[in-house]
Amino acid sequence: MTSDRSPSPARADLPGPRGPATPYRMTVTTALPHADAVALADQRLGDWLKQEGCDEPPRVLREPPGHDPGRPAPGPDLAADPPTAPTERLRLGGRVLLDRDGGLLRGGPGTGRYDRRRLRTPAPHGTHQLTLTIATGVEGPTWVRLEAETHTTGSGVRTPCRVPVPELARTLLPLLDAADGPAAVQLAPRVLAAGDVDALIDELCDPERRLPTVVASVPADRGLDAWVAEVVRPLCGQLPGLATAYVLDPGARTEFNVALEYHTVYGGAVRTYLPEVDPASRHDGARHPVLARRRIEEDLRRAAGLLAREPRRLAAEQPLPLPLAAVPVLRVPPPAPRAGTGPDDAAALAHEEQLDRAEQQARADELERARHSLRRERRRGAAQVRALTGRLCAGPGGPAAPGRPGRRSGAPGAAGAPGTFTEVMARLGEFPLLTFTGDQKAALALDELQCSGAGWARLTWDGLTALQEYAEAAVRGEAGGDFKQWCERTPAGCHRFPPRKAVRGESRTVFSHTKWKRERMLPVPECVDASRRAFMGAHLRIGGGRTAPRLHYLDDCSGSGRIYVGYIGLHLTNTRTN
């Protein structure tokens, strides 16, 4: 059940490795109730089978055990669902084999339910297999997983490099309103304007995102519509269900590259943003591959395969969400006893089948535990490297590390918020992960402005406190995004700083103005930048008005494990302060 819009395994011009083709694995969520999602999937599966000349499978009818037909059926309480039912095996038209099962997730009542369909069709030198699993926990969305693979009859058979995107994936995605965390998973790339950039950045940094996000730029010598139709859409033809895709129009490209100076994309290139983007880290930028325009135009079909490589790899390595991980292995009906065999032989066959299932389940559980453990170790190792780098960067006389004995992490000072900037600067040592690198004169001069009172100093202190708490979480890999997202979703027990006062970067005009940009090139240690200067576009708004103070900083938690505050003072030059 593969798409005729994808490369066919029979095509002679495909690369011909010997061995199994790379499988297709799609994992998305839907807001549909579990039963509606299953009914929709069965309908689309039945439609395809009819098109292929096969018999449409009968409807699945299951009654909860002990249900009295004279009483109302149980409601949506998942604990009332029936236990796992034996696999139902159907031969449709003599050439298609359909297995289907469903019931409670492993763990029993109160854990959720699942339904699964496995379709096998004959193929040259093997079998095509398509497995659709729908699982819903007690809380959270309905998860949909679609797997397509090819089983060959021998190791010497030539196969395509990868299993094409199944046609069922292309038909189900729009009907399910499929999503990946905050993002809609659509069939075709979506064109973004400048006003959409903030939402895109939030999506890239969202900790719930599992799929890669592919962002395409438009070259200056090509029109937007023509480039999308002739290049981007064919290029993304192998991505449905594996990634979300966007195209930046010229205005959006500029805004995007100003906001993400270490993760830029331009000139007709296409960039794949893996999960857990850190927009403030230049080191993180190297993690997200770029496909250059030259390679795309040299061979569009080959470029499409290259672009799909990372999404395919990630789909294979990502740990399953909990509801899908709790789906039991498929219980295939035991083979019928041969003529002349007695009941003891049939019982032995059934016992062997039970042992096989137990072994398969144990292996599946072990693999899932290994994947989760590997991911935890990677995050822990990265956090340790960031913390060590931060201590080395700070030097022997630098500030204390977070959590050092004798000081409660995240509780700067016990004397309350300072009322003057003189006191703010004197107490900066209370923030162990913040390093002030600028000139104190600009901050101290604010005390001479009578209009500010103590409000500016207290708001600055609030901002520094929130930055410290964010940094403590970020070096552990638990911040869930950048500082603005932290402000929007401040964890319980942490100091809240107004999200509208946390700005990711300067405007396009400021960034492109040589003098104004130079004002924001502020001091950093050599371990951050060899030039000892870095552009600090991210800032906090201290008060309102055109000349109200600003606090400019560089978030390097993923690099040196610190945040560098390069400026506290009146608003630096821009179009309004001229």
Side-chain angles (χ1 to χ4, degrees), residues 228-250:
V228 171
E230 298 170 12
V231 177
V232 180
R233 287 183 185 274
L235 184 67
C236 297
Q238 299 183 28
L239 298 182
L242 299 174
T244 56
Y246 301 97
V247 184
L248 302 176
D249 73 10

Side-chain angles (χ1 to χ4, degrees), residues 2-18:
T2 55
S3 169
D4 55 7
R5 284 172 284 183
S6 301
S8 167
R11 290 275 298 272
D13 57 310
L14 282 172
R18 297 185 183 274

Side-chain angles (χ1 to χ4, degrees), residues 328-452:
V329 295
L330 186 66
R331 298 186 295 178
V332 180
R338 296 186 299 272
T341 58
D344 291 341
D345 294 326
L349 286 172
H351 179 65
E352 291 175 3
E353 184 69 15
Q354 184 179 8
L355 293 178
D356 289 341
R357 288 198 303 269
E359 182 180 2
Q360 291 173 359
Q361 187 66 68
R363 289 179 177 176
D365 291 344
E366 181 180 3
L367 178 59
E368 201 58 39
R369 286 194 299 270
R371 285 175 172 171
H372 280 287
S373 176
L374 178 60
R375 197 174 188 191
R376 285 196 303 269
E377 289 301 321
R378 284 177 177 172
R379 288 182 174 178
R380 187 179 305 163
Q384 290 173 349
V385 169
R386 288 193 294 266
L388 177 61
T389 306
R391 289 195 291 270
L392 292 174
C393 188
R404 181 168 292 179
R407 182 186 183 280
R408 184 165 61 94
S409 178
T420 65
F421 281 93
T422 301
E423 189 179 356
V424 169
M425 304 310 292
R427 293 173 57 184
L428 284 176
E430 297 180 23
F431 303 104
L433 292 184
L434 307 187
T435 300
F436 183 76
T437 63
D439 188 345
Q440 293 193 18
K441 294 179 182 178
L444 298 177
L446 296 174
D447 286 336
E448 301 176 6
L449 300 177
Q450 299 299 322
C451 60
S452 67

Side-chain angles (χ1 to χ4, degrees), residues 38-61:
V38 173
L40 181 61
D42 282 340
Q43 178 186 352
R44 301 310 301 170
L45 191 60
D47 291 344
W48 180 83
L49 288 169
K50 285 193 293 185
Q51 291 176 5
E52 295 295 308
C54 302
D55 298 332
E56 185 175 2
R59 290 183 58 194
V60 179
L61 296 175

